[in-house]
Amino acid sequence: MIEKIETLLGEIRSLTANDEKEIEALRIKYLSKKGLINDLMTDFRTVPAEAKREIGMKLNELKTAAQEKINALREELAAHHESGDELDLTRTPYPVRLGTRHPLSIVKQEIIDIFARLGFTLADGPEIEDDWHVFSSMNFAPDHPARDMQDTFFVEQHPDIVLRTHTSSVQSRVMESTQPPIRVICPGRVYRNEAISARAHCFFHQVEGLYVDRHVSFTDLKQVLLLFAQEMFGKDTKIRLRPSYFPFTEPSAEMDISCNICGGKGCSFCKGTGWVEILGCGMVDPAVLDANGIDSTQYQGYAFGMGVERITNLKYQVKDLRMFSENDTRFLEEFMAAN
Ligand code: PHE
């Protein structure tokens, strides 16, 4: 019996607890009616008379030790609370305000998803580019005025290095490293030296597409763009292609969609015409294929490029381009539902 008491004493001295619940559990284990110490009290009755005194004293010592330990644990816990240094990792955090994806990211992703369903994969490239990938490989002659068309930012003292003005540079990088069939879309940020206003910014976002294979015709391009427009703006959307010019495509066109704000009747957004321009496109100029290592006698391609801001404006009627980069959370929160 003495041994049992000694073991319990040792156990009690080394008790620890993290909270009130654990302390209460210890109290029940040792000090309650059905606790270990009370069990010993019951056994005590059977102890021979000559040993009663010694064991009785030991038992009392044990009971006091247990009570004192429980009290001490309670005090410790209280002191800990008062000092405020408790760190409860299980506590629910302060209300977390969920963020929203940026409207441009939402729309960019939608564009990517539509083309992904048609088998286009993603391609990426640097924003600081060399002249070759942005201009020369895209059939811009050295002194061609078309270089001015895009209001280029040059890197100081490095006339050969520019901030890319379109993601056609990524098309060039894909062509120089891959043989057809090629089916890529290139989303990314582009830069042009424009005065910042509600309608223009010095950077914006594009998604360009490139398809190169045998027997590719303008009809393929038209069909893909029609499908894109209807997926993006609704089944009743019509498209219209107007002849245009780009150094890297021949023939080239600009594509309008029937104004999705007035349904084509004419409104202030489409300036009464019922049509709004959304992208440039065309058949890849054979000179571009050759410059990028693809045999233009064997392969043809089409390409298209659109501004993500423009598409977003049409979908959400954002009047001022600057709102996209100011990151005013009141503006961004308006897109909560679209997330
Ligand atoms: N690169 C053109 C631009 O930035 C867009 C475009 C891409 C036009 C592909 C035709 C074909 O304006």
Side-chain angles (χ1 to χ4, degrees):
M1 183 127 182
I2 288 276
E3 260 168 43
K4 248 191 193 171
I5 296 174
E6 290 289 352
T7 327
L8 276 185
L9 253 179
E11 215 177 283
I12 283 167
R13 284 197 185 112
S14 56
L15 288 180
T16 56
N18 293 317
D19 55 31
E20 189 55 47
K21 250 192 178 165
E22 284 183 28
I23 298 176
E24 180 60 10
L26 292 174
R27 192 194 62 77
I28 292 169
K29 181 175 174 190
Y30 293 102
L31 289 167
S32 68
K33 262 197 174 152
K34 292 187 174 153
L36 293 173
I37 295 179
N38 237 355
D39 286 352
L40 286 176
M41 293 292 188
T42 316
D43 294 349
F44 182 66
R45 282 189 226 128
T46 61
V47 169
E50 65 275 15
K52 271 210 152 81
R53 197 182 133 80
E54 190 198 356
I55 296 186
M57 276 169 61
K58 264 281 170 217
L59 252 180
N60 276 339
E61 188 188 331
L62 176 67
K63 198 169 175 181
T64 322
Q67 253 152 9
E68 278 173 0
K69 184 70 192 188
I70 299 284
N71 289 343
L73 285 176
R74 287 216 166 104
E75 269 165 36
E76 242 173 64
L77 190 71
H80 196 57
H81 271 295
E82 273 159 31
S83 72
D85 63 356
E86 96 205 85
L87 175 62
D88 180 2
L89 294 175
T90 64
R91 210 186 115 268
T92 314
Y94 295 106
V96 181
R97 290 191 5 129
L98 279 184
T100 56
R101 279 191 301 155
H102 193 282
L104 293 178
S105 303
I106 296 172
V107 171
K108 180 184 79 178
Q109 195 55 48
E110 239 180 289
I111 300 171
I112 291 172
D113 288 344
I114 294 170
F115 285 106
R117 290 204 289 279
L118 295 170
F120 285 79
T121 54
L122 283 179
D124 203 3
E127 291 180 18
I128 304 172
E129 257 294 9
D130 49 32
D131 177 280
W132 170 257
H133 289 100
V134 178
F135 295 125
S136 301
S137 71
M138 283 287 134
N139 203 32
F140 288 75
D143 299 318
H144 199 292
R147 284 179 194 245
D148 279 348
M149 217 162 88
Q150 302 202 334
D151 297 316
T152 312
F153 281 118
F154 292 90
V155 172
E156 252 177 347
Q157 275 140 31
H158 297 276
D160 209 36
I161 307 289
V162 302
L163 297 186
R164 68 180 178 193
T165 56
H166 54 182
T167 55
S168 301
S169 54
V170 182
Q171 301 186 18
S172 164
R173 284 184 176 274
V174 170
M175 285 189 274
E176 72 185 7
S177 59
T178 330
Q179 281 300 304
I182 293 172
R183 221 181 283 177
V184 288
I185 44 172
C186 324
R189 181 174 286 184
V190 300
Y191 301 82
R192 293 184 194 181
N193 188 5
E194 302 227 19
I196 297 171
S197 71
R199 301 178 60 89
H201 211 296
C202 58
F203 66 79
F204 60 98
H205 300 79
Q206 281 191 328
V207 176
E208 293 209 359
L210 173 71
Y211 187 109
V212 187
D213 206 342
R214 291 178 206 275
H215 316 300
V216 180
S217 74
F218 202 94
T219 340
D220 300 321
L221 170 63
K222 197 175 164 188
Q223 191 56 40
V224 161
L225 294 180
L226 174 64
L227 188 130
F228 166 73
Q230 295 186 337
E231 288 286 300
M232 196 73 195
F233 296 104
K235 282 277 160 277
D236 298 328
T237 308
K238 294 184 185 60
I239 63 167
R240 158 173 107 168
L241 291 157
R242 284 177 290 103
S244 184
Y245 171 78
F246 299 103
F248 31 88
T249 45
E250 181 59 38
S252 305
E254 270 165 332
M255 186 176 97
D256 300 340
I257 58 164
S258 48
C259 178
N260 71 322
I261 290 163
C262 62
K265 287 190 205 76
C267 64
S268 63
F269 196 85
C270 58
K271 300 194 189 85
T273 63
W275 296 94
V276 280
E277 185 201 320
I278 63 160
L279 55 81
C281 61
M283 299 306 290
V284 181
D285 193 306
V288 170
L289 293 176
D290 290 330
N292 288 286
I294 291 175
D295 184 352
S296 65
T297 63
Q298 300 291 315
Y299 296 104
Q300 305 81 42
Y302 63 72
F304 54 86
M306 65 189 90
V308 182
E309 277 81 351
R310 178 111 187 114
I311 309 272
T312 310
N313 279 349
L314 271 169
K315 280 208 85 146
Y316 297 110
Q317 282 124 65
V318 179
K319 295 265 154 50
D320 190 330
L321 264 186
R322 290 169 290 197
M323 303 192 83
F324 288 125
S325 45
E326 278 164 359
N327 282 336
D328 183 333
T329 51
R330 289 167 303 177
F331 169 69
L332 297 176
E333 276 163 10
E334 287 185 34
F335 297 89
M336 194 78 98
N339 266 264

